Each structure stands twice: as structure tokens, then as C-alpha cells.
Amino acid sequence: MPTANKNFIGATAALLLIGLAALTIIVSMSIWLVELNEEEFDRVLAVRVVRANAVDLRAALQDIETSQRGFLLTASENYLTPYTQSRDDIAPLYTSLVQHARTLPNLTGPVARLGEIIDDKLVELDGTIQLVRDGQQQAAIEILQTDRGKELMDEARAIFASIVQTTDAAYVEAAGNQRSSVDWLRWTTFAGAFIIALVVGSAVWMALRYTRELLNARREVEALNAGLEARIDERTQDLVRANEEVQRFAYIVTHDLRAPLVNIMGFTSELDTTMETIQTYVLADGDPLSEQEIKEARLAASEDLPEAIGFIRSSTRKMDALINAILKISRDGRRPLKPERINLGELIEANANTVQHQVADTDGRINLDIKTPPIVSDRLSLEQIFGNLLDNAVKYRAPDRPVEIDISAHRGPNRRIIIDVKDNGRGIAAQDHQRVFDLFRRAGTQDQAGEGIGLAHVRTLVRNLGGDITLESEFGQGTTFRVTLPEQLPNVDRSN
């Protein structure tokens, strides 16, 4: 859990830094784009003012020129009213035009030239009007006929048209820049919102995951605390069972070893008696033996002596087999376990393949249904366990039907794996269900070779792995052996 805490703190700090960096970038971009947009907005306003000033100034010049011509033709002061009104507007309009045209450097020259034209045009207009007022109307008309005023107005109109075209283009450009800035601001906002949402979502997900892990750890602790008493009881039962097994084992060993020993002792006494009879015949010192003594000596030498020696040899062989069986179980119980990751389905299938030909000879079959994850256990022990169970299923088959073996495995509670090996063989009588696991004990008809150590050996191996084995059987119908193993090989006290 400390490692998980460090990981959670580190990940949370990283997410906060990412979020802070994203927020800083978003704010900086937003400020820059807003300022850029404001600059473009100011430029648009200036361009619009320049265009408006140019249009108004052009209209004012046209008005005063029209008013001047009317006055020259009629000498009526009424025609000078527009002249007077527009003449006063020209100076402010031109001043504003010059001021705002600074935002458009390419208009600096044309605007300056326009000022010169306006000054020349106003001098001409003011001069002709004054001539008419002085009664020199013909002189004023002659000045008008020189086309000097027309040339000035034509040049002014061209400059006005250029200013309008330039301002229109600048307006379109500025509007496009504004639109681009708005688009960038929009996408920056979307991207920033996405990044922040991603960071917040990741932080929430990590917090939920960490909380879930804490809750799971808490439940595991509660489960461990709740099951502690049950495990203590289970361990106590294991110790009681182990003690009973030791006592039963001691009884079986002493009983089974004592039987051939009693036979040896009995036949040794008989051998002594037989040897006395033979010695009487062999060591006779010239005294004649009766026919009965000779007959008894010959009978002892030809029958009693070989029989006694044969029984003694048979008993010693029995004792040797029993001692070897005890040593085998003892060695397996003391063998160091080698935990490794094992695919249980592959291991069981490999063991099933070793008896497949024997099953096939009876037109039988082996069915596998293994639904377990890999386990960590001792491979050799598992191979011996399932090898013995499959050998027994084939060896003690029912003669009137094909062999059928079903092997299934699934996960049980408390991280345990449950494997069932079911056959349709002879079955085991109810009174022998526990007896078959005892050393040197066999059940049913003894028509197969064996010493009664197979299932005792299997139970020893299973318990060494931290598991247990039980059976359910109906005589004449078949037997199911249930092997329960831990997913992870524990450090257990192994019993012999």
C-alpha cells in the first residue's frame, strides 16, 4: 500500500502540473488573441473612418464646385449656400483623414497630394467667386474654361477612388484577421477545455481507482480478521487430523510389520524343531535309528525345512516391500518443493494422454473441462497426483462398460482450485471411503497388483502442497476424487 500511495501522489502531482501548464497556455493564448483582435478592431475602425472621411470630403468638394458654377452662371448668392456649408467641413474632414490614414502607410503619399489638390482647388473656387462679386463674371468664366479646375477634380476623384479601394481591401483583410483570431480563440478554448476535462477525468478516475483499492484492501483486511478464528480452527483441525494420521500410521506400520515378523519367529521355531530331527539322523553315533526316526528325519529335510525357509523368505520380502513403501512416502514428504507457474489444463491433459491408449482399448474416453488460471505449485507433485488417480481409474474399471473419465477444474472460495476426477469404475463401498487413504490398505476385490500405498501417497503429496483430497463414491457406479489446492503454493508444514 505505501507503493500505491507514492504512485497515486506522483500521478496526481503530474496531472496537476499538466493541468496548470494547459491552463497557463490557454490563458496566455487567450490574452494574446484578444489583444490581437482588439488591434484588428481598432484598425477596422480607423479604416472605416478613413473611408468615410474620403467619401465625405469628395462629396464636399463636389458640392462646393457645383455651387461655384451655379453662382458663376447666375451671380445669385442663393447658389453659394451649399458652398458656404461644405467649405467649412473640408478642413476638419481632411485633418481626420490625415490622422487616421497613418494606419495605412501606402496612403500617406496620396493623402498628402490630395491636400495640395484641395488647397489649389479652394484657391481657384474662392478666386472665381470673388471675381463675380467684383463684377468680373467674364474673367471668372475664362478661368473656369482653362480646365485647370477640372483637372484638379479629376485627379482628386482618382485619389478618392484609390483611397476607397485601399480601405475596402484593408477592411476585408482586417475582418479576415479578426475572424481568424476568433477561430484560433475558439479552437484554443476547445483544446484547453478538452485537456482540462481529460486531466480532471484522469484525476477523478485515479481517485476512484485508489479509493476502490483502499476499499478492497479494507474488505480483505476485514475478511482476514473475520476468517482468522476460522483459520485457527481449521489449522487446529489439521493438527488433530495429522496427529490422528500419525497414530493410525504407527498402528498400521506396527501391525503390518509385526505380521511377517510373527511368521518369521513362528517358522524359526518350527525350523529349530526340524533341525533337531535332522540332527538326530545326521549326528547319530552308530546307534541304530528306528524306521520312524528315519522317516521323520527325511520328511523334515524334504518338506518341513524347505517350507519353513520359504515362509521366512516370503515374510522378509513382505517386510522389505513395506519398508520400501514407507521410505518412498518419507522421501517424497521430505523432498524440497519447487514452486513454478503451471498451466493446470496442459499438465492434466499431458497426464491424460499417458493412459489414453488404455482408455481407447475399452472404447472409452476422457473429458476435460479445465477453467482455472495458472497456479504456482510443484510440477512433479501434481504429475504424481493426477498420474496415480488416472492409473487407478483405468486399473479399477468396471469390466462391463467402456472407461469414461471426467476431469473438471474451477476456482473456489479463498483462492482455492477445485479439481474433480470422476470415473465410472467399480466404485468404493461406503465403509472403505477413508480406509483407502491409509497406508497398506486396499478396498474391494484384490485382483490387481499393488501394495496399498497409491492413495496414501497421493494424500501425502496433496497435503504437502497445502491442499486436501476427498472422495465420493457409490459402489458399482464409480468414484469422484476431489483435489483442493491453493492457487499459490504456501509455506506449509509438510506431513509424511
Side-chain angles (χ1 to χ4, degrees):
M1 188 57 67
T3 302
N5 288 338
K6 292 180 180 178
N7 293 337
F8 175 73
I9 294 173
T12 302
L15 287 174
L16 289 176
L17 290 176
I18 293 173
L20 181 61
L23 186 60
T24 302
I25 293 173
I26 293 169
V27 172
S28 301
M29 286 288 292
S30 299
I31 293 173
W32 177 69
L33 289 171
V34 167
E35 290 179 351
L36 184 62
N37 197 43
E38 287 180 352
E39 292 177 2
E40 293 298 330
F41 181 74
D42 292 340
R43 186 183 177 198
V44 167
L45 289 179
V47 167
R48 293 185 65 179
V49 170
V50 169
R51 190 182 190 282
N53 288 338
V55 172
D56 292 343
L57 189 57
R58 180 176 60 185
L61 286 174
Q62 290 174 345
D63 288 344
I64 63 176
E65 184 183 41
T66 301
S67 179
Q68 176 246 8
R69 290 183 178 181
F71 179 73
L72 292 181
L73 293 175
T74 63
S76 173
E77 291 290 335
N78 293 333
Y79 282 94
L80 290 180
T81 301
Y83 177 89
T84 304
Q85 294 175 349
S86 299
R87 179 70 173 77
D88 295 336
D89 294 336
I90 288 176
L93 288 174
Y94 180 74
T95 302
S96 177
L97 177 62
V98 172
Q99 180 181 357
H100 291 91
R102 294 170 184 169
T103 59
L104 300 170
N106 54 341
L107 291 181
T108 303
V111 169
R113 174 56 186 160
L114 182 61
E116 296 174 357
I117 293 172
I118 292 173
D119 289 341
D120 291 345
K121 185 64 177 177
L122 291 176
V123 168
E124 178 208 354
L125 294 173
D126 291 342
T128 56
I129 291 172
Q130 188 60 42
L131 286 174
V132 172
R133 285 176 177 172
D134 292 340
Q136 301 179 25
Q137 186 175 11
Q138 185 61 37
I141 293 174
E142 289 176 357
I143 293 174
L144 185 63
Q145 288 176 343
T146 61
D147 291 335
R148 172 63 180 167
K150 179 178 179 303
E151 292 174 358
L152 291 173
M153 283 301 294
D154 289 341
E155 186 178 359
R157 289 189 184 94
I159 294 175
F160 283 129
S162 175
I163 292 174
V164 170
Q165 184 178 3
T166 301
T167 54
D168 287 344
Y171 178 78
V172 171
E173 180 184 359
N177 291 337
Q178 279 188 305
R179 188 177 298 108
S180 178
S181 298
V182 171
D183 290 340
W184 273 104
L185 183 60
R186 181 184 299 111
W187 285 111
T188 300
T189 303
F190 287 161
F194 174 77
I195 294 174
I196 291 175
L198 184 63
V199 170
V200 172
S202 300
V204 171
W205 176 79
M206 290 187 60
L208 291 176
R209 180 181 175 185
Y210 184 68
T211 302
R212 185 167 58 251
E213 290 178 355
L214 287 178
L215 292 176
N216 291 336
R218 180 178 179 180
R219 282 194 292 269
E220 289 181 4
V221 171
E222 291 176 351
L224 289 173
N225 291 335
L228 182 59
E229 184 176 351
R231 289 196 302 277
I232 292 175
D233 291 341
E234 180 181 353
R235 186 57 178 164
T236 302
Q237 292 298 322
D238 289 341
L239 293 174
V240 171
R241 184 176 58 188
N243 184 57
E244 292 176 350
E245 185 175 344
V246 168
Q247 293 179 359
R248 186 167 58 252
F249 178 77
Y251 170 77
I252 291 171
V253 169
T254 54
H255 179 272
D256 285 17
L257 286 179
R258 186 172 180 274
L261 186 60
V262 169
N263 288 337
I264 291 172
M265 293 174 62
F267 283 106
T268 300
S269 298
E270 184 175 344
L271 185 60
D272 287 340
T273 302
T274 301
M275 289 300 298
E276 289 177 359
T277 302
I278 295 174
Q279 287 174 352
T280 300
Y281 177 77
V282 174
L283 300 178
D285 295 331
D287 296 332
L289 298 176
S290 64
E291 184 176 348
Q292 181 64 30
E293 290 176 334
I294 295 173
K295 184 177 179 180
E296 289 178 356
R298 289 177 177 178
L299 180 63
S302 61
E303 295 183 10
D304 293 344
L305 183 59
E307 181 183 14
I309 294 174
F311 276 113
I312 291 173
R313 286 176 177 173
S314 175
S315 297
T316 54
R317 282 196 297 270
K318 179 65 175 177
M319 289 184 67
D320 182 63
L322 295 176
I323 292 172
N324 285 336
I326 294 171
L327 290 175
K328 174 178 174 57
I329 293 179
S330 177
R331 283 194 298 270
D332 287 341
R334 292 193 304 270
R335 181 181 65 83
L337 301 178
K338 297 179 180 180
E340 61 178 287
R341 188 177 178 86
I342 298 172
N343 187 314
L344 196 58
E346 294 178 357
L347 184 141
I348 293 176
E349 183 177 2
N351 277 271
N353 289 336
T354 62
V355 298
Q356 183 63 48
H357 66 286
Q358 296 173 271
V359 175
D361 289 342
T362 68
D363 295 327
R365 60 181 179 177
I366 301 176
N367 304 312
L368 301 180
D369 182 21
I370 312 299
K371 298 178 180 178
T372 62
I375 65 173
V376 177
S377 192
D378 182 73
R379 182 179 295 275
L380 180 58
S381 296
L382 293 177
E383 290 176 346
Q384 291 179 328
I385 289 168
F386 295 112
N388 270 285
L389 294 179
L390 289 169
D391 285 340
N392 283 350
V394 174
K395 182 188 296 185
Y396 298 106
R397 63 180 179 268
D400 58 343
R401 54 180 175 264
V403 175
E404 184 166 352
I405 303 174
D406 296 317
I407 305 177
S408 62
H410 63 277
R411 298 183 72 174
N414 301 323
R415 300 175 61 84
R416 311 288 283 184
I417 300 296
I418 299 173
I419 307 105
D420 290 333
V421 181
K422 180 181 179 181
D423 64 58
N424 64 339
R426 302 179 186 178
I428 302 173
Q431 65 272 17
D432 292 329
H433 284 187
Q434 289 301 320
R435 187 173 180 269
V436 293
F437 290 111
D438 291 338
L439 190 62
F440 312 134
R441 292 294 182 266
R442 304 176 69 191
T445 305
Q446 305 300 313
D447 58 351
Q448 298 290 334
E451 299 173 349
I453 65 171
L455 290 178
H457 186 209
V458 167
R459 183 169 65 175
T460 298
L461 293 173
V462 172
R463 290 183 175 176
N464 284 346
L465 298 179
D468 198 11
I469 182 171
T470 58
L471 70 84
E472 294 180 2
S473 182
E474 185 177 351
F475 188 72
Q477 299 299 319
T479 303
T480 299
F481 287 95
R482 169 161 290 185
V483 179
T484 305
L485 296 171
E487 291 185 15
Q488 181 83 24
L489 183 65
N491 295 322
V492 296
D493 295 331
R494 295 174 299 172
S495 60
N496 295 334

